[in-house]
């Protein structure tokens, strides 16, 4: 959520930054409501002061034995006006909050300006796309031929875009998860978290999934619970409505969870295979930092995600997303894209985002500054480390052999117990 004081003090600048995302965006309505709300606040404060003065007069008049019926009626009338103004203010507060919850974060000044994903900027590439001297197969054909992913029965058990891993496929999926968690906890210094896989609406609102993306969520019919779309949601909200000490920061946390997304509006996109499904596994990295350290911590988190790809030996590139393509709550984002031979292009496997204090304001996550003693909002950062199903698919495609086998990356072999499929 954007800081209303920031909007109030510099609406032109906020509008300029928002229009880098989308020319239709504006905080003008927020300002309009804020002006009316503050006017009512001033009027109510003046009436409260008048009511206090008149009430004191009533006490003095009673001491003198004077009749107070008339002035008491005036005080009651003032009270009625105050109550009406308070009700109006509550109504305007709710309208303003709803507007703010639906306005995205302002992009960082270093985020490339662009009108679509075509304006994203490639930062660097690591590894060369594999060149085959035989007719290679897409990962879904490999998976079906080897009997390691059962697409048909996954649909039978659930519905379209749900899959079932089996045998060495299930073992490989689990091995990837364990490898990522061990790397992040043992080498990168993250605390492992195992959060609930369902979150309430307050938690979903804290990270920006609600109210904007309600249609993309799976909701329990009779309870205030949603299946999480990513571990970012529960892990970021662990310290919601709490005040940390500056010595507690930065906090590094990582979690494996299944992720559930309805993928509303994605009809016809990546319908085959593991790239776009309704349930998938992911290992997430989350950081809570001070504002001063967040750019450096964002870069380090992105490098932590890159390390996963480098150790697996998968070709990838880093892309800086432009203003039109960054996520709703993010102010800066790097996508890591892994080479997928079947698509003859790179596909996103991790988004590493800095949210500034946008999520922290929504979730009310603060820390106490050790010098001033004042409370400030933390900055939140997260990124996939990595999306497991997409890693699985990339391994099948990039390490397939002419004889039909798939070589398992060396770093995974102690987890899988086999070196090829």
């Amino acid at each position: 959520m954007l800081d209303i004081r920031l909007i109030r003090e510099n609406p032109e600048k906020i509008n300029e930054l928002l229009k880098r995302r989308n020319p239709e965006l504006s905080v003008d309505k927020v300002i309009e409501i804020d002006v009316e709300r503050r006017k009512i606040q001033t009027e109510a404060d003046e009436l409260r002061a008048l009511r206090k003065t008149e009430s004191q007069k009533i006490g003095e008049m009673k001491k003198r034995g004077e009749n107070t019926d008339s002035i008491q009626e005036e005080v009651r009338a003032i009270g009625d006006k105050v109550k009406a103004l308070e009700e109006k203010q509550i109504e305007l507060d709710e309208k303003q909050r709803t507007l703010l919850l639906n306005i995205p974060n302002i992009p960082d000044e270093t985020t490339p300006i662009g009108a679509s994903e075509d304006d994203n900027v490639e930062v660097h590439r690591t590894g060369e796309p594999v060149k085959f001297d035989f007719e290679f197969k897409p990962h879904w054909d490999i998976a079906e031929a080897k009997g390691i992913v059962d697409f048909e029965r996954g649909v039978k058990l659930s519905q379209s875009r749900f899959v079932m891993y089996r045998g060495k496929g299930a073992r490989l999926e689990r091995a990837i998860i364990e490898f990522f968690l061990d790397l992040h906890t043992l080498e990168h210094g993250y605390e492992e978290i195992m959060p609930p896989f369902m979150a309430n609406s307050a938690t979903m609102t804290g990270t920006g999934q609600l109210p904007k993306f309600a249609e993309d969520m799976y909701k329990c019919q009779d309870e205030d619970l949603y299946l999480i779309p990513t571990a970012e949601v529960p892990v970021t909200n662990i310290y919601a409505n709490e005040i940390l000490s500056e010595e507690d920061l930065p906090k590094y946390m990582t979690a494996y969870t299944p992720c559930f997304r309805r993928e509303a509006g994605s009809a016809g996109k990546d319908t085959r295979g593991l790239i776009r499904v309704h349930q998938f596994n992911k290992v997430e990295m989350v950081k809570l930092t001070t504002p001063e350290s967040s750019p450096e911590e964002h870069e380090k988190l992105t490098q932590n995600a890159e390390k996963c790809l480098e150790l697996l030996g998968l070709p990838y590139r880093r892309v800086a997303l432009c203003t039109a393509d960054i996520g709703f709550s993010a102010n800066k984002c790097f996508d890591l894209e892994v080479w997928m031979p079947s698509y003859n292009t790179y596909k996103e496997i991790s988004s590493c985002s800095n949210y500034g204090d946008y999520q922290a304001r929504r979730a009310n996550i603060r820390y106490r500054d050790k010098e001033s003693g004042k409370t400030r909002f933390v900055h939140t950062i997260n990124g996939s480390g990595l999306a497991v199903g997409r890693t699985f698919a990339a391994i099948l495609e990039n390490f397939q052999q002419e004889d039909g086998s798939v070589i398992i990356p060396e770093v995974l072999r102690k987890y899988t117990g086999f070196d090829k499929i």
Side-chain angles (χ1 to χ4, degrees), residues 216 218 229-230 259-263 277-280 282:
D216 288 325
Y218 285 105
T230 165
C259 304
F260 304 88
R261 300 182 188 178
R262 291 183 59 225
E263 294 285 357
V277 290
H278 292 314
Q279 177 185 325
F280 58 95
K282 186 153 64 78

Side-chain angles (χ1 to χ4, degrees), residues 201-225:
S201 57
T203 299
M204 297 289 279
T205 300
T207 42
Q209 276 69 31
L210 291 180
K212 182 71 173 176
F213 302 107
E215 66 173 10
D216 288 325
M217 304 297 122
Y218 285 105
K219 187 181 189 306
C220 296
Q221 184 173 352
D222 298 320
E223 295 183 77
D224 180 29
L225 286 173

Side-chain angles (χ1 to χ4, degrees), residues 226-291:
Y226 295 79
L227 292 171
I228 60 170
T230 165
E232 166 201 344
V233 175
V235 176
T236 302
N237 279 277
I238 288 172
Y239 296 99
N241 299 311
E242 295 186 29
I243 300 174
L244 303 168
S245 68
E246 188 171 343
E247 288 76 10
D248 293 329
L249 303 177
K251 281 195 173 292
Y252 289 20
M253 296 169 285
T254 186
Y256 152 71
T257 66
C259 304
F260 304 88
R261 300 182 188 178
R262 291 183 59 225
E263 294 285 357
S266 67
K269 295 180 181 177
D270 302 321
T271 55
R272 301 195 68 183
L274 300 169
I275 298 301
R276 195 179 295 273
V277 290
H278 292 314
Q279 177 185 325
F280 58 95
N281 294 314
K282 186 153 64 78
V283 173
E284 191 79 358
M285 300 174 290
V286 174
K287 290 185 177 184
L288 306 182
T289 77
T290 62

Side-chain angles (χ1 to χ4, degrees), residues 130-257:
V130 61
K131 292 181 173 60
F132 297 101
D133 55 8
F134 58 90
E135 187 175 349
F136 65 87
K137 295 179 180 179
H139 68 272
W140 53 87
D141 284 349
I142 299 171
E144 285 184 325
K146 300 297 180 188
I148 57 176
V149 179
D150 196 328
F151 295 100
E152 184 177 339
R153 288 187 174 90
V155 173
K156 181 178 75 172
L157 293 172
S158 189
Q159 64 177 29
S160 62
R161 301 204 188 202
F162 284 85
V163 302
M164 184 181 80
Y165 294 86
R166 63 191 315 162
K168 286 189 173 182
R171 184 67 176 264
L172 177 57
E173 180 86 353
R174 177 160 55 91
I176 295 169
I177 293 167
E178 289 186 74
F179 165 62
F180 289 162
L181 287 174
D182 281 354
L183 178 64
H184 295 320
T185 56
L186 301 178
E187 295 190 28
H188 297 156
Y190 291 77
E191 176 190 9
E192 184 172 349
I193 303 292
M194 187 170 284
F197 298 162
M198 291 186 178
N200 58 37
S201 57
T203 299
M204 297 289 279
T205 300
T207 42
Q209 276 69 31
L210 291 180
K212 182 71 173 176
F213 302 107
E215 66 173 10
D216 288 325
M217 304 297 122
Y218 285 105
K219 187 181 189 306
C220 296
Q221 184 173 352
D222 298 320
E223 295 183 77
D224 180 29
L225 286 173
Y226 295 79
L227 292 171
I228 60 170
T230 165
E232 166 201 344
V233 175
V235 176
T236 302
N237 279 277
I238 288 172
Y239 296 99
N241 299 311
E242 295 186 29
I243 300 174
L244 303 168
S245 68
E246 188 171 343
E247 288 76 10
D248 293 329
L249 303 177
K251 281 195 173 292
Y252 289 20
M253 296 169 285
T254 186
Y256 152 71
T257 66

